[in-house]
């Protein structure tokens, strides 16, 4: 989508609005429409935003947009968040997702995803799961087996009340060979809240989208 200079100026201006809803809207538009000419302005807006812990929702939107724009300059700040490895923190989950999107070298790059699945607390772990499910990452078969092995060891991280990424984990396997995914999927096949996702995955359909 092409934007006029007037439209770009308006979006840039909204990044500094006193209204958080306008700042969020501008950030979302920049990320969704891939307005790379405003990447630096978005990063500057995020660096201002992160000073106010009350604006977690706006920070999350900006972080997501920076990830979609693959803003290398944001990696340092995202790493700080990921390294804190907080639980029950939405910003951390989306910082994990954005870090993966920026740092990977090809669409199916699993290096950082595997590291975050292995070592992340709940939110860093969730960001890695979102990256696999939402970005349609297809690991090599040996990496698929690594993912399964990690999942079997780390059930307490993702089998948690109220908020868990199991639906996304299941969806992420929709292009995997059945002989690799089926033992894992069968654990959830008879659970009403997951059965539909399992059947979609076995039929090669995605169930989870951003």
């Amino acid at each position: 989508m092409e934007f006029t200079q007037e439209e770009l100026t308006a979006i840039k201006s909204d990044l500094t609005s006193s209204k958080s809803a306008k700042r969020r809207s501008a950030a979302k538009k920049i990320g969704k429409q891939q307005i790379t000419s405003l990447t630096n302005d978005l990063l500057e807006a995020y660096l201002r935003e992160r000073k106010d812990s009350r604006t977690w929702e706006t920070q999350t939107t900006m972080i997501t947009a920076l990830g979609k724009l693959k803003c290398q300059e944001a990696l340092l700040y995202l790493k700080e968040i990921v390294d804190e490895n907080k639980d029950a923190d939405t910003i951390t989950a989306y910082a994990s997702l954005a870090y993966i999107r920026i740092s990977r070298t090809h669409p199916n790059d699993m290096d950082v995803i595997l590291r975050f699945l292995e070592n992340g607390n709940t939110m860093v772990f969730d960001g890695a799961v979102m990256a696999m499910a939402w970005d349609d990452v297809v690991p090599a078969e040996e990496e698929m087996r690594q993912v399964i092995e990690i999942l079997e060891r780390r059930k307490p991280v993702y089998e948690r009340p109220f908020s868990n990424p199991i639906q996304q984990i299941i969806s992420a396997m929709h292009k995997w060979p059945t002989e690799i995914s089926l033992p894992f999927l069968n654990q959830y096949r008879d659970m009403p809240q997951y059965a539909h996702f399992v059947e979609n995955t076995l039929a090669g359909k995605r169930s989870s989208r951003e």
Side-chain angles (χ1 to χ4, degrees):
M1 181 176 180
E2 294 292 332
F3 291 88
T4 66
Q5 189 57 50
E6 184 178 358
E7 288 172 329
L8 291 173
T9 300
I11 295 169
K12 179 179 176 179
S13 177
D14 283 348
L15 286 173
T16 59
S17 171
S18 61
K19 298 179 179 179
S20 58
K22 277 196 169 184
R23 299 195 301 275
R24 283 196 301 275
S25 177
K28 187 174 182 179
K29 187 175 292 183
I30 291 168
K32 184 177 181 179
Q33 301 297 335
Q34 295 285 290
I35 309 176
T36 55
S37 62
L38 294 180
T39 300
N40 289 337
D41 299 285
L42 177 61
L43 179 59
E44 290 174 8
Y46 166 67
L47 294 178
R48 291 191 298 270
E49 202 74 41
R50 75 198 294 255
K51 296 175 183 177
D52 187 348
S53 60
R54 298 170 299 175
T55 65
W56 64 269
E57 189 176 359
T58 305
Q59 291 178 53
T60 297
T61 304
M62 290 181 172
I63 285 169
T64 300
L66 289 166
K68 290 180 177 180
L69 292 170
K70 297 189 178 295
C71 176
Q72 294 292 325
E73 291 78 10
L75 277 176
L76 174 65
Y77 307 104
L78 298 174
K79 186 176 185 298
E80 289 177 7
I81 299 170
V82 170
D83 285 350
E84 287 185 31
N85 209 9
K86 291 181 180 178
D87 279 324
D89 180 72
T90 301
I91 289 175
T92 298
Y94 282 86
S96 171
L97 171 62
Y99 187 95
I100 290 166
R101 285 174 165 171
I102 296 169
S103 62
R104 64 187 170 203
T105 58
H106 58 86
N108 295 319
D109 187 351
M110 286 290 292
D111 287 351
V112 178
I113 290 175
L114 286 169
R115 178 154 49 92
F116 285 4
L117 290 176
E118 181 70 67
N119 301 311
N121 285 340
T122 54
M123 297 294 100
V124 171
F125 183 98
D126 284 4
V129 171
M130 289 189 290
M132 284 198 301
W134 292 350
D135 297 345
D136 210 12
V137 176
V138 183
E141 289 195 8
E142 181 54 37
E143 292 169 332
M144 293 176 187
R145 293 186 176 90
Q146 284 181 262
V147 170
I148 294 292
E149 192 270 332
I150 293 170
L151 292 174
E152 292 297 337
R153 283 191 289 103
R154 304 210 70 202
K155 283 190 177 185
V157 175
Y158 62 88
E159 285 189 347
R160 55 187 191 263
F162 308 116
S163 174
N164 67 61
I166 295 174
Q167 294 174 355
Q168 292 169 342
I169 293 171
I170 292 169
S171 181
M173 298 180 180
H174 75 284
K175 291 184 179 178
W176 292 25
T178 304
E179 62 268 22
I180 294 177
S181 64
L182 191 58
F184 178 85
L185 296 175
N186 277 341
Q187 298 176 59
Y188 301 97
R189 199 170 190 173
D190 294 328
M191 298 183 185
Q193 68 269 44
Y194 303 125
H196 174 70
F197 295 92
V198 171
E199 294 311 312
N200 276 350
T201 291
L202 291 173
K205 301 176 183 177
R206 287 175 70 182
S207 301
S208 180
R209 298 178 186 274
E210 188 170 2

